[in-house]
Amino acid sequence: MLPVRILVLGGTAEARALAAALDNAGVDFESSLAGRVSRPRLPVGLVRIGGFGGAAGLASHLRDTGVTHLVDATHPFAATMSAHAVDAGRATGIPVLRLARPGWGSRPDAAAWHWEPTLDAMRATAETLGERPFISSGRQTLPAFAPWSDRDVTVRVVEPLDNPAPPRWTVLEDRGPYRLDGELALLRDHRIDVLLTKDSGGSYTSAKLDAAAHLGIPVVVLSRPSTLPGAAEVSSVDACVEQLLAGATGH
């Protein structure tokens, strides 16, 4: 077997599952977290926390630590980090594999959602659908909804906001996985009439979509950024491990 060392750009449930699988396989690997969450769920194995200093810094880290394979298992909307991974792989000649969970577009109710390419478009569409929005697209998206300071808005975030929310906003600090009964109660208690979210995919936060369908609440979804050329993509941990081990054995 050829020597292999894998760097996993993580911070997602898939990245943690990949770390566990690589650990079970006895593969040399390191996980990297951006450090934006104060109490992250840590994967097994060696963990590095903090940025690299852009694509050039990541490329230097790959060279300095003898990485042979780079896995981008960051959030589907971590476009900047994904771009840095592709650029660093191109600069070093190290193969880049993108592990991205499937989106929610195949759900039966997805055809009735309002899909938008930008946050501004989401806001404009939501304004035509309801008056009491539930924003569950992450705290970094909230500046786009600043014009709603005069509305009763419910926001859910994992980490505390950097700046105080408008007085009429309700900010909930929580993290998944969420259950259908809890999401139904949230939508009813706050009298939500439109749901805004990203096409994050996965099961951790999908219960809100089930709840919205049950209550007949319209859903506005931010579409995923396009996949960048320069990285092969897989949608499951098993497929990712299979490709990595095939590369390690030279098959």
Side-chain angles (χ1 to χ4, degrees):
M1 179 179 291
L2 298 174
V4 58
R5 178 169 174 77
I6 298 167
L7 176 63
V8 179
L9 304 177
T12 60
E14 292 75 24
R16 293 189 294 274
L18 175 60
L22 294 175
D23 187 61
N24 289 336
V27 177
D28 184 16
F29 73 97
E30 177 185 30
S31 296
S32 175
L33 306 182
R36 292 177 179 171
V37 177
S38 60
R39 295 177 291 106
R41 292 187 175 104
L42 296 177
V44 299
L46 183 63
V47 179
R48 177 191 185 279
I49 297 179
F52 293 95
L58 176 56
S60 295
H61 180 83
L62 298 178
R63 297 189 188 98
D64 294 345
T65 57
V67 169
T68 60
H69 297 75
L70 176 61
V71 179
D72 174 15
T74 58
H75 191 275
F77 283 84
T80 298
M81 192 67 246
S82 292
H84 290 170
V86 168
D87 290 344
R90 186 178 295 116
T92 59
I94 292 172
V96 180
L97 186 60
R98 174 68 168 138
L99 171 57
R101 72 187 79 141
W104 288 319
S106 62
R107 287 175 54 106
D109 50 345
W113 298 343
H114 301 264
W115 294 82
E116 299 295 349
T118 67
L119 293 170
D120 287 342
M122 286 181 73
R123 187 184 70 247
T125 296
E127 287 174 353
T128 70
L129 299 172
E131 298 181 353
R132 298 181 65 90
F134 174 35
I135 303 175
S136 61
S137 51
R139 61 180 180 140
Q140 294 182 355
T141 69
L142 295 183
F145 302 102
W148 285 353
S149 60
D150 59 345
R151 291 186 173 217
D152 294 315
V153 178
T154 301
V155 175
R156 183 164 62 197
V157 292
V158 174
E159 295 280 300
L161 301 183
D162 296 328
N163 299 302
R168 292 181 61 177
W169 286 26
T170 299
V171 179
L172 308 174
E173 292 181 21
D174 197 5
R175 68 171 73 193
Y178 302 106
R179 294 169 54 91
L180 176 58
D181 54 354
E183 298 294 69
L184 285 169
L186 186 155
L187 297 179
R188 286 173 174 145
D189 291 348
H190 295 277
R191 295 185 289 139
I192 301 302
D193 58 11
V194 59
L195 167 65
L196 294 89
T197 188
K198 295 176 178 177
D199 183 23
S200 299
S203 60
Y204 264 48
T205 62
S206 63
K208 63 190 173 188
L209 300 170
D210 298 327
H214 182 80
L215 298 174
I217 294 173
V219 178
V220 183
V221 183
L222 181 65
S223 299
R224 289 189 178 190
S226 302
T227 301
L228 296 173
E233 183 168 330
V234 293
S235 59
S236 72
V237 171
D238 288 344
C240 187
V241 172
E242 181 179 354
Q243 286 208 26
L244 291 170
L245 295 184
T249 57
H251 293 167

